[in-house]
Amino acid sequence: MNGNTEAKEARLAELIGAARNMVVFTGAGISTESGIPDFRSPGGVWSRIKPIQFEDFVASPDARRESWRRVFSGERGWTGAQPNSGHDVIANWVTTGKASAVITQNVDNLHQLSGVPEDKVIELHGNAGYAHCLECGQRSELAALAPEFERDGEVGPCSHCGGLIKLATVSFGQPMPWSAMHRAERATLRCDLFLAIGSSLQVYPAAGFPEMAKQVGAKLVILNREETPLDGMADLAIHGEIGTTLSAAQSV
Ligand code: NAD
C-alpha cells in the first residue's frame, strides 16, 4: 500500500465520520468477493451470457424457456452466495444509524443477508431470489416453480390471472420499478454523503443517483477498482479493492 492509498482511506474515514446522513449505492463489484461475477470485468457475465431483452421475453416462448433455463441452471453464480466483508461493513453503518439506506443495482439479496433490514434496501433492478407475475404482481417462490420447469422445460402462466411469470429482476428494456426509483430519489435528496461502491456507473437511470446527490450539495465518494465516468465530479475517487478499503477505512 502506498502513501496515496493510505491518505485516501483516511479521507474516506474522515468523510464518513463527519456525515450525518450517508447513503450507500452499490453495484455488482461489491459481490465479486462473494464469488458472483460482475457484468463488465473480463470474464464477467456479459462476456459469457447475452442478456435477454424484456420485449423478447414477452414475445417469444423460446426466449422464456431460455430465461428459465438460466435461472434454474444457476449459471449466474448467485445461488448459495454469502455476504463478504464489504457487505458487513455496510450493514454495520445501517444498523448503527450512520447510513439511512442502501440503494443497490444488485439482485443477489446479499445486503439483506448481511443484516441490512428489508426496508433499508432499495433494489433498483429487482431480486433474483423469487419470481412474480408481470400482470398482477403475485409472488412465486423458485422452489415452487422448479418441479414444473423440470417437467415441462418452462414455467406456465400465473394461476391467479393468467399473466406471464418472470424472475423478479429488471431486464434490459423493462420499465424501472416506480416505487424503488421514488424511494431512491428521496434518500438521495436527503443525504449529505453519497458513497458509490463497485459500480462502473454506466447503467442509467441508476447512475443518475450519484449525479443527483452531487447536484444537491452532498459529498460524493466513488470506490471502484477502475475509473468511472463520474470520477471527475467526485469529492474522493478511490481505485482499490472494496473489502480491504472499507475495512481499512473503518479501522482508521
Ligand atoms: P458493472 O459490472 O458494470 O461494474 C462493476 C464494477 O465493479 C466494475 O467497474 C469493476 O471494476 C468493479 N469491481 C469488481 N470487483 C471489484 C472489487 N472487488 N473491488 C473494487 N471494484 C470491483 O456492474 P454495475 O455497475 O452494477 O452494473 C451492471 C448491472 O448488472 C447491474 O445493474 C446489476 O443489475 C447487474 N448485475 C448484478 C449482479 C449481482 O446482483 N451481484 C451481478 C452482475 C450483474
Side-chain angles (χ1 to χ4, degrees):
M1 190 183 1
N2 61 38
N4 190 27
T5 309
E6 274 175 12
K8 286 190 168 186
E9 285 169 0
R11 176 75 182 131
L12 174 60
E14 198 178 288
L15 286 168
I16 293 170
R20 279 172 297 127
N21 182 352
M22 176 163 91
V23 162
V24 181
F25 173 94
T26 60
I30 183 88
S31 296
T32 57
E33 291 170 33
S34 293
I36 303 176
D38 64 13
F39 246 10
R40 290 180 178 73
S41 294
V45 175
W46 265 3
S47 62
R48 296 181 291 112
I49 307 168
K50 187 170 175 280
I52 296 171
Q53 302 289 321
F54 182 63
E55 62 177 24
D56 294 334
F57 181 91
V58 172
S60 157
D62 283 347
R64 290 199 287 279
R65 268 192 292 276
E66 170 59 10
S67 169
W68 287 114
R69 188 198 64 72
R70 291 178 185 185
V71 170
F72 289 111
S73 73
E75 64 191 21
R76 290 294 185 80
W78 37 60
T79 317
Q82 293 301 314
N84 62 58
S85 62
H87 292 102
D88 293 343
V89 171
I90 294 169
N92 188 43
W93 287 332
V94 176
T95 51
T96 57
K98 174 58 78 177
S100 58
V102 180
I103 303 171
T104 188
Q105 300 174 86
N106 294 346
V107 298
D108 55 28
N109 208 44
L110 292 187
H111 288 300
Q112 291 92 326
L113 272 181
S114 70
V116 181
E118 290 274 349
D119 65 337
K120 303 280 186 192
V121 183
I122 303 171
E123 293 175 319
L124 297 179
H125 296 162
N127 190 305
Y130 59 92
H132 62 186
C133 171
L134 292 175
E135 295 299 326
C136 70
Q138 177 161 280
R139 174 171 169 151
S140 304
E141 301 309 320
L142 296 181
L145 299 175
E148 186 184 342
F149 172 77
E150 274 160 32
R151 190 185 62 231
D152 303 336
E154 60 188 328
V155 169
C158 173
S159 57
H160 187 62
C161 76
L164 289 177
I165 296 178
K166 179 183 174 294
L167 193 67
T169 53
V170 178
S171 299
F172 286 101
Q174 186 170 2
M176 294 293 286
W178 180 88
S179 161
M181 288 296 285
H182 181 65
R183 287 172 61 211
E185 182 174 324
R186 263 201 340 207
T188 303
L189 293 176
R190 287 179 184 161
C191 77
D192 60 358
L193 175 62
F194 192 99
L195 184 46
I197 301 174
S199 173
S200 61
L201 299 178
Q202 292 179 24
V203 179
Y204 281 82
F209 289 108
E211 293 174 324
M212 184 188 291
K214 193 62 197 157
Q215 279 157 10
V216 296
K219 294 259 190 290
L220 173 62
V221 174
I222 296 174
L223 166 56
N224 201 50
R225 183 184 286 157
E226 50 188 20
E227 290 182 7
T228 81
L230 303 189
D231 288 359
M233 70 164 65
D235 296 274
L236 176 65
I238 305 179
H239 302 132
E241 293 302 299
I242 293 164
T244 46
T245 307
L246 292 187
S247 304
Q250 214 186 27
S251 60
V252 171

